[in-house]
Amino acid sequence: MAYEIRGSLWGTLCHNVREPLAGLELRAYRSKGDRVTEQAVAADKETFHEVVEGERTGAPIAVARVDESGAYVLTIDDKEYDGGPLDLDLYVEKPPRPRHDPTAKPRQFAVTTLQPRWRQTRKNTVAIWEYAIPNRFWCHILALFGIWTISGRITTCDDKTPIPGAVVSAFDADWLQDDPLGTATTDGTGHYVLTYLASDFRRTPFSPFINVELTEGPDVYARVELGGQPIITETQADGRQPGRQNVGHCFCLDLCTEKLPGGPETVPHWQQVEVFDIHPGNGQPGSTFDTLGYADPAGGAFVFGGSVTLRGNCPLTDVGTGHPLKYRFLVGEYTWTGGMDDAANPPTVAPASMTPVTTQVTGTHVGYVFYTDGNSQAQSAAVVVTAANLDADGFVQVDGLPVTVQMYNPPGSTAVVNVSSSNFLRTFDLLELNTAAITALHPPKKPGGLAKAQAGETLPTAEQEPVRRYRVGFEVRDAVTNTTTHTDQLDSIIFDNSAVIATLDLEELRLNGCNPLSGATTIHLLHTVDHPHLRNFAVTINNNGGTVHAPPQTPSGAFTTGTYSFRGGASGPHNSTSTGGIPIDVSADPACAYSVNLGWVTRRYLDTGQTLQRLYCH
């Protein structure tokens, strides 16, 4: 029975705000030595350190990769592990930031010695471990990868109300020129994180020949806009003030403004697709979307499928007129010159028009309504927008929306409460877009996938799914006059709900899936995997003792950032002599049962890996 540790891993920023350690590896080693108990109860400052060469002997007994939300699952299959203490390390190949020093080498950090508190479940033995790297350690790790960070909150000055959707631009007050350090957009709590590199403030008009930045860090000042209007405008003089000069790698900068009559809730804005800011726009410096529409182009190059959350704020009413506001999203699709699908190239012809989103939504939790129940107790209920709440033009008006709530007295009784400014607390979600309903306008090129008998064949171009590229717009109108008060747009985004076309076989099993391969010295792998947004794939061969054949012996492939043509691969098809595909020498493999595994993962945001398997005996 396996041991399993679950939890989340974070790095701590200003105000104890946390960012997920996406992409990092958690490595577990069996604890050794006579100080295990002492180390298990020690404080972070006594255990956290960079692992030096030779400190760890042998491979880890388990490794887990942290996902985009910070979650991980560490599964220990080591038959000799008895539930004892573990040394837990973090391996950082690259940090979870869009920019970092590409020459920085991977590093490993010892975090703690943990004695898991195991609980027996029906299937396995489980423990929970949540951890946030303290600010000073996380800042040190970022600095090792050349990362400089400015983070903080943007609020109103009077009551410190957070301002979401504000675009923060930071600068270095240089004596020759003002160096732009970058931009970031505040989230629903008014918090922002801005990443930059030393090259951003050490450059001069004479770079790279002369570097006149004599001090270590920049002299920071900032400007903030909301809805395209400046709300905070600092100057070079602010960057020369004490506390702003020569700042370190992790600098906390909180700013406030009094230029928001009625408060930030009065300004409509669309800010994010999932966790990715739409401002600055596609391809601009600091943007999280490139010109083609891939999110996090410097790292994940993500596309989106399934239900996608569009985040921001639309006030219930207009601060000037008091009229209710309504909002909608519109979608237009890019096409190819000539109008024919082209699997080899993304579409480049911009949409001629935009179509309102009407039925292509899933239930969206936009806020809470507060009320008093039949027992005179304060209660709240979720306000969920569905397709039924959208009018024929795709608009939803949250102000006045009827919500059925539980009254509890008498039992089972309900009442209807209408949303108003006096009882409503919004979330940061505007609409959940059902991208599958949008991409379903195009039937699959290869319905049903590729038959096992065709394993190894290269998919014909006509059966390959192309890139589906879209433009998304946001519009707010006065519900009384029907005049538009606010618009916004993400020029390009990729939606992809296509299936991965994958199949796997062995030449030796084509005629008889139960054929024993006793005495075989070579087997022939037949595999095909094809998808327009594949992240990676690999074929491995395992027995009960572990992996016996892995890449580069067996086929594999991976997407490279900036190169969008990677679709997967194929081994070559079956042939008349049953020697097609890729030959693998198994002459040294012991007699045992084996599994051939074809695994893959796409670049769809939050996608998880999948596997095909074939079994044989040798």
Side-chain angles (χ1 to χ4, degrees):
M1 183 173 290
Y3 291 86
E4 189 175 277
I5 302 177
R6 293 175 171 268
S8 299
L9 297 174
W10 309 82
T12 307
L13 302 170
C14 297
H15 304 296
N16 288 321
V17 171
R18 298 175 176 182
E19 63 178 332
L21 302 185
L24 273 61
E25 284 185 1
L26 178 64
R27 297 182 172 184
Y29 300 82
R30 188 179 288 103
S31 294
K32 299 178 181 178
D34 55 5
R35 298 183 61 210
V36 170
T37 302
E38 179 182 344
Q39 291 171 334
V41 299
D44 291 336
K45 66 180 181 180
E46 298 172 0
T47 60
F48 198 100
H49 64 276
E50 186 170 357
V51 175
V52 298
E53 185 176 355
E55 181 176 348
R56 298 292 187 218
T57 57
I61 63 173
V63 176
R65 185 170 292 274
V66 183
D67 70 18
E68 296 296 324
S69 68
Y72 71 90
V73 178
L74 186 74
T75 303
I76 305 174
D77 288 324
D78 193 316
K79 300 300 185 294
E80 299 180 6
Y81 177 65
D82 59 0
L86 299 167
D87 290 333
L88 298 181
D89 291 3
L90 280 174
Y91 179 75
V92 187
E93 183 177 9
K94 65 177 183 177
R97 292 290 183 87
R99 302 182 65 201
H100 59 88
D101 180 1
T103 66
K105 65 177 183 179
R107 296 174 182 267
Q108 186 162 326
F109 300 88
V111 177
T112 192
T113 298
L114 176 72
Q115 174 54 69
R117 299 180 62 180
W118 297 110
R119 294 183 60 186
Q120 188 69 46
T121 67
R122 189 172 62 177
K123 293 184 177 180
N124 50 22
T125 304
V126 177
I128 303 297
W129 185 62
E130 306 273 349
Y131 183 72
I133 302 178
N135 178 268
R136 65 190 181 101
F137 293 143
W138 183 230
C139 181
H140 173 68
I141 292 173
L142 294 175
L144 291 174
F145 285 84
I147 292 175
W148 296 67
T149 295
I150 302 172
S151 65
R153 283 201 172 102
I154 308 299
T155 65
T156 57
C157 293
D158 50 1
D159 57 4
K160 300 302 178 184
T161 300
I163 303 175
V167 178
V168 184
S169 300
F171 303 87
D172 172 28
D174 205 342
W175 68 281
L176 280 180
Q177 64 180 19
D178 286 353
D179 294 324
L181 302 178
T183 61
T185 306
T186 57
D187 63 15
T189 68
H191 191 266
Y192 70 94
V193 180
L194 189 151
T195 299
Y196 62 103
L197 307 181
S199 58
D200 292 324
F201 64 87
R202 288 179 179 155
R203 59 192 172 203
T204 75
F206 313 106
S207 297
F209 308 107
I210 301 176
N211 181 5
V212 296
E213 188 74 48
L214 303 179
T215 56
E216 177 61 17
D219 303 332
V220 174
Y221 69 97
R223 295 168 184 160
V224 184
E225 293 185 352
L226 184 63
Q229 301 299 314
I231 59 173
I232 299 174
T233 304
E234 293 192 327
T235 66
Q236 270 202 351
D238 294 287
R240 303 297 188 191
Q241 296 299 313
R244 295 285 195 94
Q245 293 181 298
N246 190 26
V247 303
H249 277 82
C250 294
F251 180 56
C252 296
L253 180 61
D254 295 335
L255 297 171
C256 71
T257 181
E258 297 176 350
K259 295 184 178 181
L260 288 177
E265 298 293 323
T266 66
V267 181
H269 59 273
W270 171 31
Q271 179 184 325
Q272 290 179 326
V273 175
E274 294 292 343
V275 299
F276 302 99
D277 292 339
I278 69 166
H279 297 293
N282 289 84
Q284 297 181 28
S287 176
T288 58
F289 285 87
D290 69 6
T291 54
L292 284 175
Y294 291 97
D296 185 23
F302 293 107
V303 300
F304 299 90
S307 182
V308 176
T309 305
L310 309 178
R311 294 190 164 107
N313 170 50
C314 181
L316 296 181
T317 59
D318 182 83
V319 67
T321 64
H323 294 169
L325 294 176
K326 58 183 181 179
Y327 65 89
R328 67 175 177 176
F329 284 90
L330 305 97
V331 174
E333 184 174 3
Y334 283 76
T335 55
W336 290 265
T337 302
M340 300 296 292
D341 290 355
D342 181 0
N345 299 286
T348 57
V349 179
S353 61
M354 305 278 278
T355 302
V357 173
T358 52
T359 60
Q360 309 97 323
V361 300
T362 55
T364 308
H365 182 195
V366 299
Y368 298 89
V369 65
F370 293 85
Y371 67 100
T372 302
D373 68 13
N375 296 313
S376 299
Q377 298 296 311
Q379 299 286 355
S380 66
V383 180
V384 178
V385 168
T386 68
N389 301 121
L390 276 59
D391 67 18
D393 295 319
F395 284 101
V396 58
Q397 179 182 319
V398 179
D399 185 59
L401 194 70
V403 180
T404 300
V405 301
Q406 298 294 322
M407 294 302 288
Y408 303 105
N409 187 14
S413 62
T414 62
V416 174
V417 176
N418 294 97
V419 171
S420 71
S421 58
S422 63
N423 64 15
F424 182 67
L425 176 67
R426 72 175 181 91
T427 64
F428 198 54
D429 295 352
L430 289 166
L431 203 69
E432 291 204 14
L433 194 63
N434 181 3
T435 66
I438 295 172
T439 59
L441 295 176
H442 303 282
K445 300 288 186 180
K446 187 67 175 175
L450 197 65
K452 186 171 64 175
Q454 295 177 276
E457 296 181 9
T458 298
L459 211 62
T461 302
E463 296 179 354
Q464 294 180 349
E465 292 291 342
V467 173
R468 303 290 182 192
R469 183 182 174 205
Y470 298 85
R471 176 177 289 167
V472 180
F474 176 58
E475 181 182 11
V476 179
R477 289 187 186 180
D478 184 310
V480 175
T481 65
N482 206 37
T483 55
T484 299
T485 64
H486 180 85
T487 60
D488 209 339
Q489 182 171 281
L490 179 60
D491 189 62
S492 184
I493 185 172
I494 310 294
F495 296 149
D496 186 353
N497 292 284
S498 62
V500 175
I501 304 300
T503 188
L504 175 69
D505 205 358
L506 299 181
E507 282 277 23
E508 291 73 17
L509 299 180
R510 278 178 54 85
L511 299 180
N512 180 3
C514 296
N515 178 33
L517 307 187
S518 303
T521 59
T522 302
I523 62 173
H524 296 81
L525 294 178
L526 300 170
H527 82 279
T528 301
V529 57
D530 185 275
H531 190 268
H533 297 113
L534 204 68
R535 183 169 300 284
N536 56 58
F537 80 91
V539 177
T540 60
I541 301 177
N542 294 62
N543 62 19
N544 288 333
T547 301
V548 292
H549 297 284
Q553 289 178 288
T554 52
S556 65
F559 160 79
T560 300
T561 301
T563 303
Y564 298 115
S565 59
F566 176 70
R567 299 186 61 99
S571 61
H574 161 72
N575 62 23
S576 58
T577 60
S578 295
T579 56
I582 298 175
I584 303 294
D585 183 358
V586 296
S587 58
D589 294 352
C592 194
Y594 289 87
S595 65
V596 184
N597 312 285
L598 169 60
W600 68 84
V601 64
T602 74
R603 301 202 323 266
R604 274 191 292 254
Y605 181 63
L606 299 182
D607 194 15
T608 56
Q610 299 183 60
T611 304
L612 283 178
Q613 187 177 79
R614 292 284 278 155
L615 305 176
Y616 70 90
C617 290
H618 181 251

